[in-house]
Amino acid sequence: MAYSAMSGNGTATPDDDPLQTAVWRLRSRACWADAAALITGDTAGGALQRASLFVERCLYTEAGWEEAEDALRTAEALAQGDEERGAAACERGQLAYAATVHQVRDRADEARAALGRAAALIPPGAAGRALLDFRRGLLAENLSHSPQAARAAYLRAHSGAAAHPDRLLLSSTWRHLAGLALRDGDLAEARHGFAESLRIREELGYLVGTAPALASLADAETEPEASRLREEAWRLCRLLGGVPTWLSRQLPPPEPETGPGAATA
């Protein structure tokens, strides 16, 4: 099962807005509600950013669905113009996708309809189109079970993320393209893509998305490197309070140390 992060560039540039820098730092540490509290939600842009934070929290924690729905309804009501309406529809599709993959409720049809509506509103080449293409790839891979369609969508998103640029989205396209390569048995391509995804997320300081990147790279590595990467991912999930929840369930705790001095290490 594949999971996504919303787009963003973190604090990689020195002229970042102080408010957005603070939002990014909280978001990257799984403090979505605290990040949303910093944003004024009475404008279309602010309401959309708040909604996207709450949608991302649902994806990583499998909780907070009602708050995400409320924030999304506000964003939809305040949206003006095709691109803002398209962005709100894109978040609507992502929330429905998250509810479906987490088996909260089957909202696959709603997800497809919302992302189709977003595609009609966001023109090709627009800044939001790459994120939309990526999310359409997630639906194709995980709900429609069509890896060929997913790869085509991920490649469009990859090109768009590189062009704008959107480094966090680029880390996600690298990881999901690598996942398809791993499925096809292309270990070299999979390792390269997973390593690029991990590198970008570490450079951005996107802690909540680093553990999934570590675990993905582990799937393409041999022992003992695979176990080392999974142990690092487990420790990072523990640091963040068990987030991402789905990854915490998949990762076994590291084996206890044995030998002289282990009890006092």
Side-chain angles (χ1 to χ4, degrees), residues 116-131:
R117 188 164 63 252
L121 292 167
I122 303 173
R129 188 74 187 204
L131 180 61

Side-chain angles (χ1 to χ4, degrees), residues 220-231:
E221 289 288 358
T222 57
E223 296 295 349
E225 180 65 8
S227 291
R228 185 194 70 78
L229 290 165
R230 290 191 181 99
E231 180 175 337

Side-chain angles (χ1 to χ4, degrees), residues 176-210:
H176 287 271
L177 285 167
L180 293 178
L182 183 63
R183 176 186 295 187
D184 291 342
D186 190 342
L187 285 177
E189 184 66 23
R191 286 193 193 103
H192 174 69
F194 288 142
E196 283 297 297
S197 176
L198 177 60
R199 177 185 64 79
I200 294 171
R201 292 186 176 194
E202 288 180 334
E203 288 177 356
L204 291 176
Y206 188 57
L207 293 182
V208 73
T210 298

Side-chain angles (χ1 to χ4, degrees), residues 21 31 40 55 66 107 115 131 149 174 182 207 250 255:
T21 297
C31 300
T40 301
V55 169
E66 286 302 320
R107 297 172 59 179
L115 295 187
L131 180 61
W174 272 121
L182 183 63
L207 293 182
Q250 295 172 9
E255 293 291 331

Side-chain angles (χ1 to χ4, degrees), residues 210-212 214-215 226-244 247-255:
T210 298
L214 286 164
S227 291
R228 185 194 70 78
L229 290 165
R230 290 191 181 99
E231 180 175 337
E232 190 176 346
W234 182 86
R235 295 187 188 281
L236 187 52
C237 283
R238 186 180 180 188
L239 176 68
L240 295 174
V243 177
L247 185 59
S248 293
R249 292 194 297 269
Q250 295 172 9
L251 292 171
E255 293 291 331

Side-chain angles (χ1 to χ4, degrees), residues 9 16 26 51 62 65 69 86 123-124 151 176 181-182 199 223:
N9 287 295
D16 275 350
L26 289 166
E62 304 172 67
W65 303 97
E69 288 283 358
R151 180 178 286 105
H176 287 271
L182 183 63
R199 177 185 64 79
E223 296 295 349

Side-chain angles (χ1 to χ4, degrees), residues 43-136:
T43 65
L48 184 61
Q49 188 176 15
R50 282 174 54 84
S52 66
L53 287 165
F54 287 129
V55 169
E56 185 175 72
R57 181 177 66 174
C58 291
L59 197 64
Y60 277 90
T61 69
E62 304 172 67
W65 303 97
E66 286 302 320
E67 196 163 15
E69 288 283 358
D70 289 344
L72 188 50
R73 281 192 289 268
T74 299
E76 289 168 337
L78 292 174
Q80 298 179 1
D82 284 352
E83 288 198 40
E84 286 181 354
R85 293 188 183 95
C90 188
E91 293 302 328
R92 170 67 63 190
Q94 181 71 350
L95 183 60
Y97 166 79
T100 305
V101 296
H102 284 316
Q103 299 181 339
V104 175
R105 184 158 61 92
D106 186 351
R107 297 172 59 179
D109 289 343
E110 180 187 352
R112 293 187 182 95
L115 295 187
R117 188 164 63 252
L121 292 167
I122 303 173
R129 188 74 187 204
L131 180 61
L132 171 60
D133 284 334
F134 176 70
R135 289 174 171 176
R136 296 181 87 182

